[in-house]
Amino acid sequence: MRAAGASGASRLRGVDFTRDSPEVARRLIGTTLLVDGVGGVIVETEAYDPRDPASHSFSGPTPRNAAMFGPPGCAYVYLSHGIHWCLNFVCREVGFGAGVLIRALEPTTGIASMMDRRRQRDPRLLCAGPGRLAQALAITRELNGKRLDVPPFSLTAATTRIRVVCGPRIGISKAVDQPWRFGLSGSRYVSRPFR
DNA sequence: CCTGTGATCAGCT
DNA sequence: GCTGATCACAGGC
């Protein structure tokens, strides 16, 4: 038994998933994410919170968003527009309903697999956007609710100091003013530039 | 660079 | 029924 602090899936190599989603979103930038050994460096994230009208968790738990109200340090995966899978990391605590949407990676590992899955040769378009990223990493509903600290997931914190920029979130109509989108400064692998 | 539109379906009212 | 945390493509500037 640990004396204090987050443990298990909620704390992974420097990223503490029990903290507020904007802080987790910021600290995830620079972290390497792999699924079955395929992935890269997280360069873009967005925070969501149950008090935020744009969040799936805003109206409380439902069968779809149940994982978002589950343990921190787990995945919440959902289907967007009937076409695209999207990957979130659950934050805070059981029953809270906060998460971070992983929006873009700089591909580093298993690039051939990602090109194959997406039939896309331009490395800048392999993981630039949540739907593209999920397709490149073969993320589907099967990973919903799974812990991020055990296979097929792998998270490795950045070893060097990172400069992070932020701005308004993308593709939502509510709470547009909250600057809860975060990115790796100067990265050419984000889904859209930061201003 | 920007804007508009179709695809396609689970979830919610 | 309608909406949407998206993408790819088409067309205009």
Side-chain angles (χ1 to χ4, degrees), chain A residues 54-181:
Chain A
S55 174
H56 287 177
S57 57
F58 181 67
S59 300
T62 68
R64 171 171 76 148
N65 67 21
M68 217 175 161
F69 288 91
C74 292
Y76 164 48
V77 179
Y78 72 94
L79 186 62
S80 178
H81 290 258
I83 301 172
H84 305 286
W85 295 101
C86 296
L87 172 66
N88 296 255
F89 293 171
V90 178
C91 302
R92 291 296 302 256
E93 68 227 26
V94 173
F96 190 85
V100 174
L101 174 66
I102 311 302
R103 285 195 56 92
L105 305 181
E106 176 179 340
T108 59
T109 308
I111 292 178
S113 292
M114 292 189 266
M115 287 179 169
D116 207 41
R117 289 164 177 165
R118 283 193 29 77
R119 298 196 175 80
Q120 164 73 67
R121 301 203 63 77
D122 184 348
R124 287 174 58 171
L125 296 177
L126 281 181
C127 300
R132 290 166 171 164
L133 183 160
Q135 185 179 27
L137 272 57
I139 289 165
T140 68
R141 184 122 226 150
E142 294 169 24
L143 294 177
N144 188 42
K146 301 289 190 198
R147 289 170 58 139
L148 300 169
D149 62 338
V150 298
F153 288 109
S154 162
L155 284 179
T156 309
T159 53
T160 60
R161 204 77 161 171
I162 292 299
R163 182 170 291 277
V164 177
V165 292
C166 71
R169 293 173 295 180
I170 292 175
I172 58 172
S173 52
K174 302 161 186 170
V176 182
D177 50 313
Q178 315 224 56
W180 280 2
R181 175 180 178 237

